[in-house]
Amino acid sequence: NSSGGNDSRGALVVLEGLDRCGKTTQSSSLHKYLEGLGHPAELWRFPDRTTSVGQMISSYLSNQSQLDDCTIHLLFSANRWEKRSLMESKLKSGTTIIVDRYSYSGVAFSSAKGLDFDWCKAPENGLLAPDVVLYLDIPPEKAAERGGYGGERYEQLEFQMKVRQSYQALHDASWKIIDACQPVKDIEKQLQEIVFKSIETCRKGKSLTC
Ligand code: T5A
Ligand code: NA
């Protein structure tokens, strides 16, 4: 399924990893880097807690509401689907989008609860495929040491260990695995190089796919 032509388009850059691996730190820094270069870029995150679906997710994550595992899984996916057409038009108009968590989080976290892997993947089919996935790899014990978990539903060491295993079963050719225990500045440099190359490839006509 490809929908791109030869028009110069933006890149879809996704950051993934366990809770506290440094995604928000690195995605904002990448965004600033691209702005500094004069390249049109936006910073997105999932869950997008600003929509009505996102508010249901947020309430679930903060333990203010209960939902069964399948229902919350589909809400996370719906939260990506409701932003899909906007994402596509931004990319086609040349804007690079840096996304803090995407479908991989959806599958990794739900399958870590014991839901069937293929069932978890199904609702993600048809969403736009990232041009590059920056996986910030961190041992769960190290992540837990970072400022302590804030009490959201999934911020438990044992669960994060399962999530890490699920992520390991998910990686594909679009992934770059980065050691997230390095100093912030070192990680920044590595990510900048990777993203710069990815933007160039998209500019040269790489198609947008699902
Ligand atoms: N989820 C999400 C699903 O189950 N399904 C889905 O489909 C999706 C999209 C919320 C939860 O939802 C789940 C996954 C999550 O459990 P979230 O709102 O993105 O997702 O929350 P978190 O990922 O938990 O965000 P965090 O803020 O906890 O982690 P980040 O963004 O990875 O880390 P960051 O940058 O805030 O850094 C954490 C701390 O570490 C320090 C920072 O200063 C900060 O104090 N730090 C470093 N320290 C040392 N060295 C470095 N290199 C460091 N980088 C950052
Ligand atoms: Na975050």
Side-chain angles (χ1 to χ4, degrees):
N1 238 16
S2 76
S3 50
N6 288 324
D7 296 338
S8 160
R9 67 163 176 97
L12 180 54
V13 177
V14 168
L15 281 92
E16 284 285 0
L18 299 181
D19 291 11
R20 296 291 188 278
C21 68
K23 294 174 306 301
T24 300
T25 304
Q26 292 297 334
S27 47
S28 1
S29 148
L30 258 179
H31 183 226
K32 283 192 198 112
Y33 164 74
L34 294 178
E35 282 188 327
L37 294 179
H39 182 80
E42 285 190 9
L43 180 53
W44 287 27
R45 65 171 353 191
F46 289 109
D48 177 343
R49 302 187 193 216
T50 65
T51 70
S52 50
V53 173
Q55 282 162 24
M56 291 173 75
I57 296 172
S58 187
S59 150
Y60 169 83
L61 286 172
S62 57
N63 292 304
Q64 287 169 315
S65 68
Q66 306 303 322
L67 290 166
D68 74 82
D69 294 345
C70 294
T71 305
I72 184 63
H73 180 75
L74 295 172
L75 287 179
F76 272 116
S77 187
N79 189 227
R80 284 181 279 280
W81 275 100
E82 64 182 336
K83 303 299 293 283
R84 187 200 185 281
S85 61
L86 182 63
M87 182 181 263
E88 183 168 14
S89 62
K90 295 261 179 199
L91 291 169
K92 283 184 169 171
S93 74
T95 300
T96 284
I97 308 181
I98 298 154
V99 192
D100 188 347
R101 291 196 184 282
Y102 197 54
S103 300
Y104 299 96
S105 286
V107 180
F109 281 78
S110 291
S111 66
K113 293 173 175 174
L115 295 185
D116 180 74
F117 199 66
D118 290 328
W119 186 87
C120 290
K121 279 169 107 171
E124 305 299 316
N125 280 337
L127 290 171
L128 298 172
D131 293 296
V132 66
V133 177
L134 306 166
Y135 181 76
L136 301 182
D137 191 31
I138 191 168
E141 316 79 53
K142 293 275 179 208
E145 286 167 10
R146 291 188 173 171
Y149 288 141
E152 280 210 327
R153 194 178 282 266
Y154 297 148
E155 295 175 347
Q156 314 263 352
L157 186 55
E158 224 171 296
F159 184 66
Q160 297 283 324
M161 288 175 173
K162 288 185 188 153
V163 175
R164 196 182 193 211
Q165 287 175 355
S166 302
Y167 267 125
Q168 281 163 357
L170 273 172
H171 76 91
D172 58 42
S174 66
W175 282 42
K176 301 285 179 194
I177 297 171
I178 293 104
D179 176 3
C181 295
Q182 301 173 88
V184 171
K185 294 281 165 204
D186 293 5
I187 300 172
E188 277 176 3
K189 271 200 178 155
Q190 290 158 42
L191 299 190
Q192 287 170 6
E193 265 178 46
I194 297 168
V195 169
F196 189 82
K197 280 185 198 154
S198 178
I199 288 176
E200 280 302 297
T201 314
C202 293
R203 261 196 191 145
K204 286 177 186 159
K206 184 188 173 208
S207 299
L208 193 54
T209 59
C210 292

